[in-house]
Amino acid sequence: MEIWPAFKLLSKTRFGKQLGVWVIVQNYNSILTLSHLYRSSDALLVHENDAVHKICAKLMNIKQISFSDINQVLAHQLGSVFQPTYSAEGSFHYRRNPLGDLMENLVPHPEFKMLGVRNIPQMSENSLAYSTFTWAGLLKHLRQMLISNAKMEEGIDWQIRPPLPGLPSLSKMSLNKELHFNTSIANLLILRGKDVHSADLEGFKDPALYTSWLEPVNAFNVWRTQRAFSKYEKSAALVSNSQFLVKPLDMIVGKAWNMFASKAYVHQYTKFGIEEEDFLDSFALLEQVVASYCTL
Amino acid sequence: MWIPGASLLTKFLLPSPLLVMANPFTEYYIVETQPGSNSLLIRVVGDGGSISKGKICSLKARAVLIDMEEGVVNEILQGPLRDVFDSKQLITDISGSGNNWAVGHKVFGSRYQEEILEKLRKSAEHCDCLQCFFVIHSMGGGTGSGLGTYLLKVLEDEFPEVYRFVTSVYPSGEDDVITSPYNSILAMKELNEHADCVLPIDNQSLFDIISKIDLVVNSGKLGTTIKPKSLVTSSAGTFKKWQEKPFDAMNNIVANLLLSLTSSARFEGSLNMDLNEISMNLVPFPQLHYLVSSLTPLYTLADVNVPPRRLDQMFSDAFSKDHQLIRADPKHSLYLACALMVRGNVQISDLRRNIERLKPSLRFVSWNQEGWKTSLCSVPPVGHSHSLLALANNTCVKPTFVELRERFLRLYKKKAHLHHYLQIEGMEESCFTEAESSLSALIREYNQLDATKSRPVEDLPRLSVAV
């Protein structure tokens, strides 16, 4: 294994219809790409175009959303994670291997490699002038975003709660029922800005957020840096390995499967050497991923 | 380019940024150039040639013109576009194919194979990136139909990786060529087997569209005027003269079709689409590669200054049966896929809004409920602010084929005129029966799809995995 483990970023175009981007064979391309990446990468960082689009519309208040606006949000998400951080609490040395550390923290099992990012706050310059933030407020929202699988801090469902200990976990329901509570395997919280050491993180150490195979002390990690990020006096990014992608992934696999079962467009791929077997392998792998995450 | 009674085959190779279409009769020409020079004056890229006295010099169309009669090609060579085509790109004969597919395909095919291949290779060599061939021909005659489809096989063998787009003019019901059903059905078999994508057109639909434009122009109500400096211009006169020479105006529409089809590959835009993406997204099964096209707004097809109507109307019109380039009603049939190729000052949000608006009134096949492919090119047609080309893979194309088969059977049952074909070496009755089978198989495919139209959309059982 290399010193820098392969870490592939995946920018998805599914549900790109929100953007006015339609590609008819995008579901095929998605399942083929995802399955190959899943095999060859150590982790996958997944962004959903629809979520980014909503952020632009609702939080940034952009009326005519362009690709450059979308890319700006994506860049912000990536920047918030990959800007340098200190290597340990109280240290003033920057982390030398953020990718490796991230991998160690978030991917305890090779079957579970789907990572997502959530940021708070995200707003336009104008709104920023009128806002003040506390770590308590930011982290409370971020935690609820995690467990309710919200993509942004507007429209969060506050009704969703972690399951009570002793009762069967809601997340063990089959996919037919609504997956309400988003169970995490591991979380990495990255805090940047003023008074970063005063932030109270207990909410993220609650065992109810996690599967049973990792103690919260192992499942949850935090990186703190006093240097502010972008224009935000205080900002937080949460990189999670959780069930967040189960429903979208399931939907794509379903649509691709319907198309495949009718053999539509398959000849376009076989003429370039992708056989039906390759399709089936991809479907099998992704169904496995969906099933595995579903039963956390 | 089509004139009654004869057929002219023209083929363009891309992707030169300059696409020149010729209308040989009235000096109309359409030129589109690199972005920034959105006018009739051509900014020559490269060797510094120029325009002198309104004639285009030192620009060459990447085209091979083939006709087994000399008349049309000679007219081109005497017209204002004579410098655009050079003799190395022409293949002609004298007597024509006599409206006989067998003469065009078998006789002239073998006679001119070498010459065709050589000229094709030479033209192709000049291309930096050969994406596709456009073959433009008619189905009802002998040359376009016979030699044109022979050409498809040659292209497939010689350039197997290059897509073959065919624009085919289908005969109308009242065609004056008696043997057009034979020619068409024999050509159809070739199109089924050797074309990647076919855009069927019929003259009647083109004529109806021209009539509609004329109505708008002559009504005077909307304050329409002829544009002084615009896409189509001529010293000979204005659009009003179209009644005398309707084929000019009709050819103009098809020229615009090709321009719109290729604009996204030639100009910048936020959502570009190469020509191979058309085939990739719109052809779910190899045999079902017939795309019904519509161009809106209509006035972009002529030289008229109509105050632009609401943008959304442009999208609505694209799905109306009056705007299709063949007799077809896509709204009441089943979509397998649909492409919207937009040019000009249109935002992605406009695209999205209109698709959401129109979707409920359209029926898409169950496995392709979101079967849209979109492209956005920022450069509009010269003199206009925006335009839309819609390409539909839709079962509404079936009636055209059914009628074709019926007309064929009527003739074939009586064995009328058959001897003209059978006397050509290589022709047997089996050619006809095979062609008819091929067409029937195609119709059956469309029927099967239509049968699914009213079924509820159900998800199929998925792969189950052990957890």
Side-chain angles (χ1 to χ4, degrees):
Chain A
M1 182 140 132
E2 306 158 314
I3 296 173
W4 297 101
F7 182 83
K8 306 270 172 61
L9 262 93
L10 189 73
S11 188
K12 303 299 293 300
T13 58
R14 67 173 174 274
F15 304 151
K17 67 182 171 174
Q18 279 279 43
L19 293 166
V21 178
W22 279 264
V23 173
I24 291 177
V25 290
Q26 66 186 16
N27 293 320
Y28 276 174
N29 293 337
S30 296
I31 61 124
L32 289 166
T33 307
L34 260 181
S35 61
H36 279 82
L37 284 177
Y38 217 84
R39 283 183 211 119
S40 59
S41 310
D42 297 293
L44 286 148
L45 184 58
V46 182
H47 304 269
E48 291 173 81
N49 265 343
D50 268 4
V52 178
H53 189 271
K54 275 210 188 84
I55 290 172
C56 287
K58 298 265 165 64
L59 299 184
M60 315 296 279
N61 257 315
I62 304 171
K63 295 284 177 257
Q64 294 246 336
I65 298 166
S66 67
F67 284 116
S68 122
D69 298 316
I70 302 277
N71 286 340
Q72 194 115 339
V73 172
L74 286 172
H76 175 93
Q77 289 191 337
L78 292 176
S80 70
V81 175
F82 292 111
Q83 286 260 305
T85 54
Y86 290 128
S87 58
E89 295 286 327
S91 157
F92 287 100
H93 295 293
Y94 284 117
R95 203 170 286 277
R96 303 302 287 255
N97 184 6
L99 277 183
D101 293 341
L102 196 137
M103 214 74 69
E104 240 184 81
N105 291 334
L106 292 172
V107 188
H109 189 297
E111 179 120 351
F112 299 89
K113 317 179 169 171
M114 298 281 203
L115 307 180
V117 182
R118 284 175 184 77
N119 291 103
I120 198 169
Q122 287 212 267
M123 52 182 53
S124 61
E125 294 274 353
N126 308 337
S127 312
L128 200 53
Y130 303 104
S131 315
T132 50
F133 305 106
T134 61
W135 284 117
L138 290 174
L139 293 177
K140 182 172 171 199
H141 278 76
L142 196 55
R143 180 179 182 271
Q144 193 62 23
M145 278 161 69
L146 170 68
I147 62 184
S148 66
N149 201 12
K151 306 293 191 277
M152 59 180 188
E153 64 253 44
E154 207 177 291
I156 300 176
D157 186 348
W158 289 96
Q159 300 301 316
I160 297 177
R161 293 258 177 274
L164 294 170
L167 290 176
S169 167
L170 283 170
S171 62
K172 286 194 164 45
M173 282 195 287
S174 73
L175 201 60
N176 291 333
K177 306 249 182 95
E178 279 290 306
L179 263 184
H180 287 293
F181 177 77
N182 185 31
T183 304
S184 301
I185 292 173
N187 281 302
L188 172 64
L189 189 61
I190 302 170
L191 304 177
R192 299 179 191 274
K194 199 168 149 195
D195 302 327
V196 81
H197 293 285
S198 67
D200 175 10
L201 308 168
E202 285 313 302
F204 286 95
K205 297 182 186 169
D206 181 357
L209 265 54
Y210 299 98
T211 63
S212 53
W213 16 288
L214 278 183
E215 294 294 326
V217 67
N218 297 314
F220 173 70
N221 285 277
V222 60
W223 296 350
R224 289 187 245 227
T225 305
Q226 265 143 347
R227 190 189 167 100
F229 175 62
S230 186
K231 52 196 190 232
Y232 301 103
E233 180 196 75
K234 299 185 180 77
S235 66
L238 184 67
V239 189
S240 327
N241 188 341
S242 72
Q243 295 175 308
F244 79 103
L245 206 57
V246 166
K247 260 185 36 203
L249 184 57
D250 184 63
M251 208 172 328
I252 295 180
V253 172
K255 287 187 187 151
W257 182 250
N258 277 338
M259 208 181 251
F260 182 70
S262 317
K263 298 281 177 276
Y265 298 103
V266 174
H267 76 283
Q268 302 277 11
Y269 290 82
T270 53
K271 80 175 169 208
F272 291 105
I274 302 283
E275 298 302 326
E276 286 193 21
E277 274 302 301
D278 298 309
F279 274 92
L280 285 171
D281 287 343
S282 296
F283 280 114
L285 188 149
L286 292 177
E287 293 282 13
Q288 186 71 63
V289 171
V290 168
S292 302
Y293 269 99
C294 227
T295 54
L296 282 183
Chain B
M1 282 110 269
W2 304 267
I3 50 174
S7 48
L8 176 68
L9 180 76
T10 316
K11 183 174 52 58
F12 289 83
L13 306 180
L14 286 185
S16 149
L18 172 69
L19 186 66
V20 179
M21 299 296 299
N23 183 314
F25 304 107
T26 55
E27 302 173 328
Y28 287 14
Y29 56 87
I30 300 163
V31 178
E32 286 199 340
T33 72
Q34 293 280 18
S37 55
N38 206 8
S39 70
L40 280 175
L41 292 181
I42 303 160
R43 178 170 62 88
V44 177
V45 177
D47 59 42
S50 63
I51 302 186
S52 116
K53 296 197 176 75
K55 291 188 293 173
I56 308 168
C57 318
S58 78
L59 286 171
K60 297 294 178 202
R62 299 250 173 87
V64 177
L65 306 182
I66 306 175
D67 199 357
M68 297 295 99
E69 289 172 339
E70 294 178 307
V72 176
V73 173
N74 282 341
E75 285 214 41
I76 295 179
L77 291 180
Q78 284 155 29
L81 290 175
R82 57 181 165 278
D83 295 316
V84 175
F85 300 99
D86 71 45
S87 62
K88 293 197 283 287
Q89 296 165 280
L90 308 172
I91 299 176
T92 56
D93 203 296
I94 303 171
S95 47
S97 305
N99 289 324
N100 187 330
W101 181 92
V103 173
H105 197 91
K106 305 274 185 189
V107 175
F108 288 127
S110 49
R111 185 182 303 176
Y112 286 102
Q113 169 154 1
E114 277 309 310
E115 197 179 335
I116 289 173
L117 257 178
E118 201 191 299
K119 296 195 170 171
L120 281 177
R121 281 198 204 112
K122 280 228 166 64
S123 290
E125 264 161 38
H126 288 121
C127 294
D128 295 320
C129 167
L130 183 54
Q131 275 191 30
C132 80
F133 292 109
F134 281 105
V135 178
I136 306 160
H137 73 138
S138 73
M139 303 278 281
T143 302
S145 175
L147 186 54
T149 51
Y150 183 82
L151 195 61
L152 282 181
K153 271 206 281 249
V154 170
L155 290 173
E156 188 173 29
D157 289 336
E158 185 69 13
F159 305 93
E161 308 284 310
V162 181
Y163 285 88
R164 295 171 294 284
F165 273 80
V166 187
T167 307
S168 306
V169 183
Y170 280 69
S172 313
E174 315 80 34
D175 199 287
D176 56 358
V177 176
I178 300 177
T179 50
S180 72
Y182 286 161
N183 297 329
S184 303
I185 214 168
L186 289 163
M188 269 294 288
K189 176 165 180 290
E190 306 299 313
L191 291 183
N192 282 341
E193 290 171 16
H194 304 294
D196 288 307
C197 229
V198 178
L199 301 167
I201 314 255
D202 77 63
N203 279 336
Q204 187 61 53
S205 301
L206 295 181
F207 189 87
D208 291 343
I209 287 173
I210 299 298
S211 307
K212 256 191 285 289
I213 298 177
D214 185 48
L215 220 60
V216 167
V217 170
N218 288 323
S219 70
K221 283 189 282 183
L222 298 169
T224 59
T225 54
I226 304 300
K227 286 171 180 285
K229 190 178 173 191
S230 68
L231 186 63
V232 179
T233 192
S234 151
S235 53
T238 67
F239 183 74
K240 292 193 166 160
K241 287 239 171 102
W242 74 269
Q243 281 106 335
E244 297 152 34
K245 292 181 175 174
F247 283 98
D248 295 355
M250 287 155 67
N251 285 345
N252 197 16
I253 297 176
V254 183
N256 272 285
L257 167 66
L258 290 177
L259 285 175
S260 290
L261 201 58
T262 58
S263 62
S264 193
R266 290 180 292 122
F267 295 129
E268 65 196 8
S270 51
L271 257 184
N272 288 90
M273 182 153 106
D274 278 339
L275 294 156
N276 51 8
E277 291 176 48
I278 296 178
S279 177
M280 178 66 189
N281 284 278
L282 294 179
V283 182
F285 306 103
Q287 325 86 300
L288 302 182
H289 56 246
Y290 294 86
L291 307 180
V292 176
S293 51
S294 67
L295 285 165
T296 56
L298 287 181
Y299 54 78
T300 55
L301 303 172
D303 245 352
V304 291
N305 243 332
V306 177
R309 298 164 79 184
R310 280 181 325 137
L311 181 67
D312 288 12
Q313 188 63 45
M314 175 177 83
F315 283 92
S316 301
D317 286 342
F319 295 91
S320 134
K321 68 173 163 44
D322 298 332
H323 286 68
Q324 311 300 320
L325 301 192
I326 64 161
R327 303 242 126 175
D329 186 7
K331 249 188 156 155
H332 295 103
S333 304
L334 187 68
Y335 275 91
L336 280 79
C338 185
L340 296 178
M341 305 180 69
V342 187
R343 300 184 64 175
N345 185 18
V346 181
Q347 303 305 317
I348 287 180
S349 51
D350 297 317
L351 252 181
R352 180 170 43 84
R353 181 182 68 250
N354 278 286
I355 291 185
E356 293 304 313
R357 180 174 66 87
L358 292 164
K359 222 166 49 165
S361 58
L362 304 169
R363 259 166 303 188
F364 275 78
V365 75
S366 64
W367 42 260
N368 212 2
Q369 295 277 294
E370 283 146 23
W372 299 89
K373 172 70 182 154
T374 56
S375 82
L376 212 44
C377 168
S378 50
V379 177
V382 172
H384 299 282
S385 61
H386 50 254
S387 74
L388 169 65
L389 164 66
L391 296 174
N393 193 337
N394 187 305
T395 57
C396 68
V397 78
K398 189 182 67 177
T400 302
F401 299 150
V402 170
E403 270 172 45
L404 197 64
R405 184 177 59 180
E406 271 163 28
R407 267 184 263 135
F408 164 78
L409 287 172
R410 248 177 275 143
L411 263 187
Y412 190 66
K413 279 201 169 77
K414 294 181 282 186
K415 307 286 186 222
H417 302 280
L418 215 51
H419 59 284
H420 293 299
Y421 293 79
L422 297 177
Q423 75 193 9
I424 304 292
E425 192 184 326
M427 286 299 292
E428 288 159 18
E429 284 211 31
S430 58
C431 296
F432 288 88
T433 51
E434 277 165 24
E436 195 267 330
S437 298
S438 172
L439 184 57
S440 294
L442 184 65
I443 294 172
R444 259 198 308 278
E445 296 268 351
Y446 282 110
N447 278 332
Q448 273 168 5
L449 283 164
D450 269 336
T452 69
K453 205 167 35 172
S454 43
R455 280 194 223 137
V457 178
E458 269 167 20
D459 282 335
L460 293 157
R462 301 257 291 267
L463 282 181
S464 54
V465 291
V467 178

